[in-house]
Amino acid sequence: MNFDFFPKQIDLHGLRTSEAISTVLNALYELENDSPNQNYLDIVVGVGTGALRLSVEELLDNESYRYEFTNSNKSSIRVYKK
């Protein structure tokens, strides 16, 4: 029996940009390497000034991840496994 307890969502509210980027990188590593039954990860960036969202988008673009926003205010990003 294979249990996959990897969370499908991480919430970056309250984190500094450097902490958020580190959290996202760790979650992406787990998604790619430790979660065979997981095809995506939702990242909650919130609305705020948009700086956190832009930093996460830049990271995802630089790492060649496919992603989309899951709501109209762009406060949540769904990232797909490579």
Side-chain angles (χ1 to χ4, degrees), residues 13-55:
H13 281 102
L15 298 181
R16 292 186 212 121
T17 301
S18 60
E19 295 170 323
I21 294 302
S22 177
T23 299
V24 170
L25 285 170
N26 286 332
L28 292 173
Y29 179 85
E30 287 184 36
L31 175 66
E32 294 295 339
N33 297 293
D34 299 331
S35 302
N37 300 323
Q38 180 81 28
N39 295 319
Y40 68 89
L41 168 68
D42 287 338
I43 303 172
V44 178
V45 293
V47 180
T49 65
L52 187 56
R53 177 182 51 82
L54 292 174
S55 295

Side-chain angles (χ1 to χ4, degrees), residues 30-81:
E30 287 184 36
L31 175 66
E32 294 295 339
N33 297 293
D34 299 331
S35 302
N37 300 323
Q38 180 81 28
N39 295 319
Y40 68 89
L41 168 68
D42 287 338
I43 303 172
V44 178
V45 293
V47 180
T49 65
L52 187 56
R53 177 182 51 82
L54 292 174
S55 295
V56 172
E57 278 187 272
E58 183 178 341
L59 169 70
L60 296 173
D61 288 336
N62 289 342
E63 297 293 326
S64 302
Y65 276 94
R66 186 171 59 89
Y67 62 92
E68 63 186 354
F69 295 100
T70 61
N71 55 24
S72 61
N73 66 1
K74 297 184 176 182
S75 65
S76 182
I77 304 170
R78 178 162 288 171
V79 183
Y80 296 95
K81 193 178 244 185

